[in-house]
Amino acid sequence: MLIRRERPADIDAIRAVTTAAFNRPDLDGEPVETGLLEELRADPGWLPGLSFVAQADTGEVVGHVVCTRGQVGPVPALGLGPLSVVPGHQRAGVGSALMHAVLGAADALDEPLVALLGEPAYYGRFGFRPAREEGVIAPDPAWGDYFQVRLLTAHTPRARGAFGYAEPFTRL
């Protein structure tokens, strides 16, 4: 498996990966994450250098992750998601490899923190902690410990307060 930055030729494959990863039998139509990804791609908060794919040895794209521009209080920050892995490659390290790549890239770009909404038991292994413990307030208080942050090397104490995702997230 190879983790690399997204290329323009990957867009259709990423759409298929995201749809497959979030599809459920009870859904009528595409998962919301598929449309969200398309809206994020057209938003000023899209950061091409933080969109990564996992490519299998066959050349097939089997996973994708992206961070987009957000903010915490007055400080620019990152919102992570969606993270997508096709079902046949889940639980095989693809998601972990994508997480390590995007977090390493975000740190190298001197971003202060990454926020996400997700399962604490999964994301805790990457250093994510409940956001409230770091003074970051979730967009929705009902998210509780599922709204998490990972502080990066360039973190500053000014990065406290309400977190705001890129605008397309507000339409979910």
Side-chain angles (χ1 to χ4, degrees):
M1 175 179 55
L2 171 69
I3 304 297
R4 62 171 174 77
R5 283 185 46 190
E6 168 188 319
R7 299 175 187 146
D10 297 324
I11 292 174
D12 289 342
I14 291 168
R15 179 183 176 79
V17 165
T18 304
T19 300
F22 289 98
N23 204 13
R24 296 186 324 265
D26 62 323
L27 274 182
D28 184 25
E30 288 185 327
V32 66
E33 293 82 0
T34 303
L36 172 63
L37 190 56
E38 289 183 9
E39 288 185 42
L40 286 170
R41 200 178 296 286
D43 189 78
W46 182 259
L47 302 170
L50 292 175
S51 181
F52 291 89
V53 297
Q55 183 177 319
D57 294 340
T58 61
E60 173 189 14
V61 173
V62 297
H64 175 256
V65 68
V66 65
C67 282
T68 51
R69 178 58 62 213
Q71 66 183 45
V72 58
V75 178
L78 297 174
L80 189 146
L83 167 64
S84 310
V85 178
V86 294
H89 286 83
Q90 291 175 359
R91 296 180 175 28
V94 175
S96 291
L98 286 164
M99 286 296 296
H100 288 297
V102 78
L103 291 172
D107 199 37
L109 292 171
D110 290 327
E111 294 290 343
L113 66 82
V114 177
L116 61 77
L117 179 63
E119 175 57 50
Y122 180 78
Y123 291 102
R125 72 182 87 176
F126 305 107
F128 283 87
R129 302 170 37 90
R132 62 180 162 64
E133 292 178 8
E134 301 297 344
V136 179
I137 302 164
D140 183 340
W143 294 349
D145 287 350
Y146 287 85
F147 184 68
Q148 304 163 69
V149 296
R150 163 87 187 290
L151 304 183
L152 301 174
T153 306
H155 181 261
T156 171
R158 289 185 38 234
R160 299 177 66 81
F163 183 84
Y165 279 102
E167 201 275 327
F169 280 98
T170 66
R171 295 192 292 268
L172 294 179

